[in-house]
Amino acid sequence: MVDEEPERRRRRRQWIHPIVAQRYRKGQFHSLYKDLRQDPFKFHSYCRMSVEAFDNLLSLLHPHLTFMDTCMRRSISAEQRLIVTLRFLATGNSFASLHFEFLLGISTISGIVCHTCKVIWQHLREAVMPTPKAEDWLRIAEGFYQSAQFPNCIGALDGKHIRVKKPPHSGSRYFNYKQYFSVVLMALADSNYRFVIVDIGAYGSSSDSRIFSASRMGDRLRDNQLALPEPRRLPGSAGPPAPFVIVADEGFALSPHMMRPFPRRDLDDRKRIFNYRLTRARRYVECAFGILSTRWRVFLSSIQMNPDNATLVIQACVLLHNFTRINDASSDADIDQNITSSVIFDQSRTGRPGTAGLAVRDVYADYFCSPEGALSWQMEAIRGSR
């Protein structure tokens, strides 16, 4: 046994496995990619975006995904790196499965996916999710008024739990109330189902309100550093100017710039109407999460990565979501049709809102019941909630 052990250590491993060596003849990229480009429908099903959108994305990222050939081996092209990453995000397949599809090493695929996701976050963010300015908030508010009839609304806020494998030695920090391990995607969405601001990577055990309060987004909102427009009168109203607000569910604290529903107890028609109007605006972030998960199916199962790499994947998917909404809107029709969001009257958690937030909520509640702000169907809509 003593003599066999050194011999076992001296045994050389293969430089490249014979199966992997056939990558240029039998690998999915080299055998299928050119044919897919000839069929737009199949290409979209494979990469979750059109050929034109893919080429646009590749042109933006190509310099950062290109590596030099060496005397030892040829580098993997930027095109193939992007295809491998998109296929992982579109299917959620394991790296072992992708290994047999693309005939690349498992560790190679892992490195490609993590690096490409990091490049997407670093070099696509300013193009598809820039820091909003005052004119951007006004455009978003106009979108919510036209689509949801909620004036002065600058976004819908919610959190989504992204399932991950349990990190070692993490205790219960990532274990959420839904009884699985997760990190949280906190997002503010506009009326076009695009993400405006995101905070990614909080522990799954934390509540939405605590995550938002500890996030950079929450800090900037409290410190008036989000470049929000000055308060303005609600359309057709002669009342005092109303601040621009974010709509959220009962998991968030009420404040002058954060609207949540009235508690379910002792609801009168005025409060029911406000809850109905707020929920009509809030559903856009829920639909955005639905579109995100439908397109990038890596979210439909547990992400088998450590939290840092899982955060890179989520960041990349958020930006690719916005990218396809901007550059590939026509191809979203089939996805949008499968996303439904019913108007649900939420049961409120306990909490003491500030008086300033109560006053702002009353201004909106009164406006929605006034001739200037009422909708012709709102009384019919709230009958089921009585």
Side-chain angles (χ1 to χ4, degrees):
M1 290 295 293
V2 176
D3 293 334
E4 291 180 3
E5 189 64 26
E7 184 179 351
R8 187 178 298 126
R9 290 201 196 101
R10 288 196 300 270
R11 192 177 300 162
R12 291 191 61 179
R13 299 177 60 189
Q14 295 170 318
W15 173 252
I16 183 170
H17 194 280
I19 294 178
V20 177
Q22 302 180 68
R23 178 172 75 242
Y24 296 103
R25 293 189 298 107
K26 297 183 178 180
Q28 209 168 87
F29 176 79
H30 297 280
S31 62
L32 188 62
Y33 174 66
K34 290 183 179 179
D35 293 333
L36 283 174
R37 289 184 65 90
Q38 304 304 314
D39 189 324
F41 178 80
K42 292 293 186 183
F43 187 92
H44 183 275
S45 179
Y46 188 83
C47 292
R48 311 307 288 164
M49 62 179 65
S50 67
V51 177
E52 294 76 14
F54 175 83
D55 290 341
N56 188 9
L57 179 63
L58 182 62
S59 66
L60 293 173
L61 304 180
H62 190 278
H64 313 287
L65 296 178
T66 302
F67 293 83
M68 186 181 298
D69 292 337
T70 70
C71 60
M72 304 295 290
R73 63 177 66 187
R74 293 164 56 184
S75 64
I76 300 171
S77 67
E79 208 166 10
Q80 185 173 4
R81 288 173 176 271
L82 187 55
I83 285 288
V84 169
T85 303
L86 292 179
R87 192 60 184 160
F88 169 73
L89 301 179
T91 63
N93 287 349
S94 67
F95 294 150
S97 296
L98 295 175
H99 158 68
F100 290 109
E101 293 175 14
F102 291 95
L103 301 185
L104 292 166
I106 295 176
S107 61
T108 302
I109 291 176
S110 174
I112 287 174
V113 169
C114 292
H115 176 259
T116 305
C117 287
K118 187 175 182 180
V119 167
I120 289 172
W121 179 252
Q122 291 175 340
H123 300 283
L124 195 62
R125 184 177 179 182
E126 284 302 315
V128 301
M129 198 174 64
T131 301
K133 301 177 182 178
E135 54 269 26
D136 298 316
W137 294 124
L138 290 172
R139 175 183 51 79
I140 292 171
E142 180 62 23
F144 273 103
Y145 184 61
Q146 294 298 328
S147 59
Q149 293 76 52
F150 199 112
N152 287 17
C153 176
I154 57 170
L157 180 70
D158 203 0
K160 177 179 176 60
H161 287 272
I162 309 296
R163 190 187 297 263
V164 297
K165 72 174 183 179
K166 182 185 183 299
H169 314 298
S170 62
S172 61
R173 286 177 295 178
Y174 291 92
F175 195 69
N176 63 37
Y177 70 97
K178 298 181 179 181
Q179 307 299 305
Y180 60 82
F181 296 92
S182 67
V183 295
V184 178
L185 164 61
M186 182 70 61
L188 184 71
D190 65 15
S191 60
N192 291 316
Y193 310 111
R194 295 201 292 258
F195 298 116
V196 181
I197 303 176
V198 296
D199 182 85
I200 303 169
Y203 296 141
S205 61
S206 302
S207 66
D208 285 348
S209 181
R210 180 181 299 179
I211 294 170
F212 180 76
S213 297
S215 69
R216 186 165 178 262
M217 179 181 9
D219 289 339
R220 294 179 65 194
L221 182 64
R222 282 192 301 272
D223 298 337
N224 295 318
Q225 294 180 351
L226 282 180
L228 299 182
E230 291 296 319
R232 68 180 182 185
R233 287 191 175 92
L234 301 178
S237 171
F244 286 80
V245 297
I246 294 170
V247 294
D249 63 17
E250 72 283 358
F252 295 86
L254 184 69
S255 72
H257 292 291
M258 180 76 71
M259 294 290 100
R260 55 174 277 177
F262 282 102
R264 190 174 178 85
R265 60 186 180 277
D266 301 325
L267 285 177
D268 55 21
D269 284 349
R270 170 178 167 273
K271 294 179 179 179
R272 287 191 178 92
I273 288 172
F274 175 84
N275 287 1
Y276 168 72
R277 298 287 290 273
L278 181 140
T279 308
R280 292 186 74 245
R282 184 175 59 81
R283 64 182 176 175
Y284 283 91
V285 67
E286 296 178 354
C287 290
F289 286 147
I291 295 170
L292 177 74
S293 299
T294 301
R295 180 182 292 277
W296 307 111
R297 296 178 183 176
V298 67
F299 295 125
L300 298 184
S301 60
S302 177
I303 300 177
Q304 298 299 305
M305 293 176 157
N306 64 53
D308 290 339
N309 288 338
T311 297
L312 288 176
V313 167
I314 299 167
Q315 289 174 338
C317 287
V318 165
L319 294 187
L320 290 172
H321 169 90
N322 279 11
F323 178 82
T324 54
R325 297 297 300 179
I326 296 169
N327 295 277
D328 209 13
S330 61
S331 67
D332 285 329
D334 58 331
I335 295 179
D336 293 351
Q337 289 175 359
N338 295 325
I339 303 301
T340 59
S341 178
S342 58
V343 178
I344 301 173
F345 294 89
D346 301 297
Q347 295 190 11
S348 180
R349 298 182 178 91
T350 58
R352 290 178 175 268
T355 56
L358 289 170
V360 173
R361 186 167 64 181
D362 286 337
V363 169
Y364 280 90
D366 292 338
Y367 174 76
F368 292 147
C369 292
S370 69
E372 295 80 14
L375 298 177
S376 59
W377 66 84
Q378 64 187 23
M379 288 302 297
E380 182 70 24
I382 68 170
R383 285 181 181 174
S385 65
R386 292 178 179 174

